[in-house]
Amino acid sequence: MSHHAKLDGHVALVTGAGSGIGREIACAMAREGAKVGICDIDMDGAAETVETIKQEGAGDAAAFEMNVIDEAQVNEATDKMAETFGRLDSLVSNAGIQIVHPIEDFPLDQFRKVVDIHLTGSFLTTKAAVRHMYEQGSGSLIYMGSVHSHEASPLKSAYVAAKHGILGLARVMAKEGAKHGVRSNVICPGFVKTPLVEKQIPEQAKDLGISEEEVVNRIMLGNTVDQEFTTVKDVADVAIFLAGFDSNALTGQSILVSHGWVMK
């Protein structure tokens, strides 16, 4: 590696690392020298992430099956991962889904599913991870929030409630973890250009009877300072920064990566 690896010898567990932002964070951490546990329910996606990391030749990675709302599986995968790599330095709690409905049409099971995967998943992975972190007296808990941890949107009652909930969990962990050298922070991205978002552009243009350009500049990015999408690299850079930031000075915070869409 030509540059100084920021996470040399660091061991990170990333949930939802089989695709999207999770995969990008895992690969970026590995490029900085980290050993990464790729956790997902989609084992094919997880294997692809591991393969990408191995091909790049920095860091190291292994895949672990983890449904974040299955307590036994979360514990087993976390313990196995810590055993494989010898320690656990950071948790990136990233697994999530999105289901949207107006509240009067929101099926209870769908509401529960969204809240469970985001919030209960964060709780269970935290509970499993801190057993290892507390023992070694150090660690970084990194939660994937959203601008929706601070701002509401119609139709997203489950998602917004869950992302607000993650702030509360993370702040409690900042207080509980401090005496064990464990820090806790939330990354809150704005609109990231993922396939999911790309797909929404023509759909919204059609629904609203406006151009795709207007959907992007006015609806999606209207409140940003520069009408720019946040990139997966932006999010991964912040995850690397939080993983490597060793002081309790930065804990209990939410960092908004949103081109100024929301300023907190």
Side-chain angles (χ1 to χ4, degrees):
M1 270 171 285
S2 55
H3 72 303
H4 171 66
K6 292 184 184 127
L7 298 178
D8 205 24
H10 190 97
V11 177
L13 186 161
V14 185
T15 69
S19 64
I21 293 174
R23 171 178 284 178
E24 194 62 34
I25 288 172
C27 291
M29 285 180 143
R31 274 178 226 122
E32 293 295 343
K35 301 179 175 79
V36 191
I38 307 300
C39 298
D40 209 303
I41 41 177
D42 167 18
M43 288 310 282
D44 292 339
E48 268 175 56
T49 304
V50 170
E51 191 48 41
T52 305
I53 288 170
K54 302 237 175 195
Q55 278 170 359
E56 287 183 353
D60 193 8
F64 302 90
E65 188 168 357
M66 187 192 283
N67 173 355
V68 294
I69 57 175
D70 177 339
E71 184 170 19
Q73 199 178 57
V74 168
N75 290 341
E76 193 187 337
T78 305
D79 292 350
K80 204 161 131 193
M81 193 226 140
E83 200 182 314
T84 302
F85 293 126
R87 54 188 294 120
L88 176 53
D89 297 298
S90 57
L91 164 69
V92 181
S93 179
N94 162 79
I97 57 161
Q98 176 64 289
I99 301 172
V100 297
H101 295 287
I103 195 115
E104 64 273 21
D105 301 325
F106 220 125
L108 175 60
D109 64 324
Q110 303 280 286
F111 182 89
R112 278 194 176 132
K113 187 177 181 180
V114 174
V115 172
D116 253 4
I117 290 171
H118 289 273
L119 190 52
T120 311
S122 294
F123 161 74
L124 288 173
T125 51
T126 300
K127 194 177 170 185
V130 294
R131 288 210 306 268
H132 299 278
M133 293 175 176
Y134 284 4
E135 211 173 288
Q136 70 197 24
S138 66
S140 182
L141 300 167
I142 302 167
Y143 300 94
M144 194 52 65
S146 163
V147 159
H148 287 115
S149 297
H150 295 280
E151 281 284 315
S153 266
L155 311 183
K156 296 183 180 176
S157 55
Y159 185 85
V160 173
K163 291 301 195 191
H164 272 64
I166 284 171
L167 282 184
L169 174 68
R171 288 165 180 167
V172 170
M173 288 318 302
K175 295 196 167 185
E176 287 192 19
K179 63 180 177 289
H180 304 282
V182 173
R183 301 162 312 287
S184 168
N185 295 286
V186 188
I187 303 176
C188 298
F191 269 108
V192 178
K193 210 161 188 184
T194 59
L196 196 75
V197 169
E198 298 259 15
K199 191 167 84 57
Q200 288 171 29
I201 298 169
E203 286 171 6
Q204 288 198 24
K206 195 165 163 255
D207 288 349
L208 299 167
I210 58 177
S211 72
E212 290 191 18
E213 195 181 13
E214 263 190 294
V215 170
V216 170
N217 292 336
R218 199 159 60 87
I219 310 284
M220 290 185 168
L221 305 176
N223 293 327
T224 63
V225 295
D226 54 9
Q227 279 66 63
E228 293 279 340
F229 280 99
T230 296
T231 66
V232 281
K233 184 187 182 301
D234 295 329
V235 179
D237 283 347
V238 175
I240 288 163
F241 168 68
L242 288 173
F245 196 96
D246 283 339
S247 151
N248 268 339
L250 182 56
T251 194
Q253 303 305 311
S254 60
I255 300 183
L256 283 117
V257 191
S258 70
H259 286 262
W261 170 11
V262 170
M263 303 187 190
K264 280 274 184 277

